[in-house]
Amino acid sequence: MKISQIDKFFVSIEIVPPLRGHSIDQIYKVLDKILPFDPAFISVTKHPPEIEYYEIDGHILKLPKTKRPGTIGLVAAIKMKYNVNVVPHITCAGNSKFELEETLIDLDFLEIDNIFVVRGDKSKNVVKKDWQYDYAYQLVEQISNMNAGKYLYQNAKKTNFCIGVAGYPEKHFESPNILEDIKCLKKKIDSGAKFVITQMFFDENKYISFVKKLREQNINVPVIPGLKPITKFKSALKLPGKFYIDIPEKLLKQLSEAKTEKEEFLVGVKYMLRMIENLVDFGIPGIHFFTMSKTDAIVEILRNIQGC
């Protein structure tokens, strides 16, 4: 089912592929805990290859290596094992437009309905390909063209992908301000994107303000809040540096005052439940949880929101 057409409140989750050489069983363990709550879809992240150096036979070789390969294989495995709606991430980074077309053909063969498009990391270690897109809207355009039967080389069978893109309630860290960031998002929507999943945030008012600004710019697609409960004080200190987000002082104070790990856990769960209650009152289409392979807090939250 296309995500843009879901007409009732839903929950969904995001998982990351296992590290290179690790078992898919760890993913199944995560899903076995979440699937009883009937998520509308499961998204699978994609990681571009990065340059690493190896000494082989006395020579230093610069080789591309993906730390978490297997996104498409994982999508197929989950779809076959659980018969659920799976949404692969596709990145501009590390892929030429020709490689992307081949990936999209594979996904069409797998009867994948939804795709989540991201630019990907632009760090100096990420492999840069010839014919690689610099912006996510360019990949959205390519997929939209394939939906119209326009491939890179020829006109051919129409695909039928529903395209999702990322939104940033606190703006993307590279944007000078939130309005310029919204202009970039509008370009992705105008190119054919049909839904938005946001970066994580911990102040629901930032999401509400963000959505109101989008509506003012005539961006009317579903905007799904991306959430991740914080259940450790140490995590609250680390996340801003990695994801360029703010942690409200209230949450930070409550976590710092917790005496035990159990108290930290309960603080994080209660804080997220209060946020969700306010978001539901605002009228969100659903909730997307970033699991990062940790499910205890999400399971506890889902038990509490079954009636939403």
Side-chain angles (χ1 to χ4, degrees):
M1 183 178 185
K2 289 181 169 55
I3 292 170
S4 62
Q5 296 173 354
I6 301 175
D7 58 3
K8 62 180 181 179
F9 182 86
F10 63 86
V11 296
S12 57
I13 67 166
E14 177 179 296
I15 60 173
V16 298
L19 291 167
R20 176 180 290 272
H22 287 222
S23 172
I24 196 174
D25 289 342
Q26 61 183 279
I27 300 299
Y28 291 156
K29 288 177 182 177
V30 169
L31 295 178
D32 287 342
K33 293 179 180 179
I34 298 292
L35 287 175
F37 298 97
D38 194 27
F41 62 90
I42 297 161
S43 71
V44 184
T45 63
K46 171 67 176 176
H47 300 258
E50 298 183 23
I51 294 297
E52 292 196 3
Y53 294 87
Y54 296 88
E55 184 175 354
I56 300 176
D57 296 332
H59 299 280
I60 302 297
L61 299 181
K62 185 172 72 171
L63 302 174
K65 181 180 178 181
T66 303
K67 292 181 180 178
R68 294 182 181 270
T71 295
I72 305 305
L74 186 56
V75 165
I78 293 171
K79 182 176 170 62
M80 289 188 293
K81 181 176 177 65
Y82 296 104
N83 191 28
V84 294
N85 191 1
V86 192
V87 182
H89 290 209
I90 299 185
T91 64
C92 300
N95 294 289
S96 73
K97 62 182 180 180
F98 305 105
E99 292 170 322
L100 289 166
E101 182 176 89
E102 292 173 0
T103 296
L104 291 163
I105 290 170
D106 286 342
L107 293 173
D108 185 50
F109 287 158
L110 287 172
E111 299 182 345
I112 295 299
D113 293 325
N114 304 281
I115 291 176
F116 191 70
V117 170
V118 293
R119 185 197 68 186
D121 195 347
K122 287 182 70 174
S123 71
K124 63 181 181 180
N125 289 330
V126 171
V127 175
K128 174 75 173 179
K129 296 282 188 74
D130 292 335
W131 305 102
Q132 175 178 302
Y133 293 131
D134 292 318
Y135 303 102
Y137 82 86
Q138 296 169 306
L139 177 50
V140 173
E141 285 181 343
Q142 180 175 351
I143 300 170
S144 296
N145 285 336
M146 290 182 69
N147 283 346
K150 300 176 183 178
Y151 289 52
L152 295 174
Y153 303 105
Q154 65 195 69
N155 292 334
K157 171 187 175 295
K158 293 181 180 180
T159 55
N160 193 27
F161 297 119
C162 178
I163 309 165
V165 292
Y168 298 85
E170 299 178 51
K171 85 173 185 63
H172 191 278
F173 74 96
E174 293 177 4
S175 292
N177 58 61
I178 188 67
L179 293 179
E180 287 299 313
D181 198 43
I182 289 174
K183 289 180 183 178
C184 294
L185 177 56
K186 191 173 191 307
K187 200 163 188 177
K188 292 186 280 188
I189 302 301
D190 291 344
S191 298
K194 302 299 184 185
F195 67 94
V196 174
I197 299 176
T198 75
Q199 172 64 287
M200 69 180 75
F201 56 91
F202 295 92
D203 180 348
E204 66 272 23
N205 292 313
K206 292 185 177 181
Y207 168 89
I208 292 170
S209 175
F210 178 63
V211 172
K212 288 179 178 178
K213 287 183 173 70
L214 297 187
R215 302 314 182 217
E216 290 171 358
Q217 298 300 318
N218 201 31
I219 299 175
N220 296 308
V221 301
V223 182
I224 306 164
L227 301 177
K228 182 192 182 304
I230 298 180
T231 57
K232 290 184 180 296
F233 179 64
K234 290 181 179 179
S235 297
L237 297 178
K238 291 179 180 178
L239 282 175
K242 186 173 183 180
F243 295 101
Y244 305 97
I245 53 174
D246 289 336
I247 305 298
E249 183 60 29
K250 179 180 178 180
L251 174 57
L252 199 64
K253 184 173 185 294
Q254 290 176 353
L255 287 168
S256 69
E257 292 176 348
K259 299 296 190 295
T260 65
E261 289 186 0
K262 184 176 181 180
E263 285 186 15
E264 283 185 297
F265 179 86
L266 291 175
V267 164
V269 167
K270 288 179 181 179
Y271 186 92
M272 187 58 62
L273 284 170
R274 182 195 60 78
M275 263 186 54
I276 291 171
E277 182 179 358
N278 292 335
L279 289 168
V280 170
D281 288 343
F282 175 69
I284 56 174
I287 300 168
H288 188 66
F289 286 108
F290 304 113
T291 66
M292 298 182 182
S293 299
K294 297 179 180 179
T295 59
D296 289 349
I298 294 170
V299 167
E300 185 63 27
I301 290 166
L302 290 175
R303 286 182 183 139
N304 281 273
I305 64 172
Q306 278 289 346
C308 292

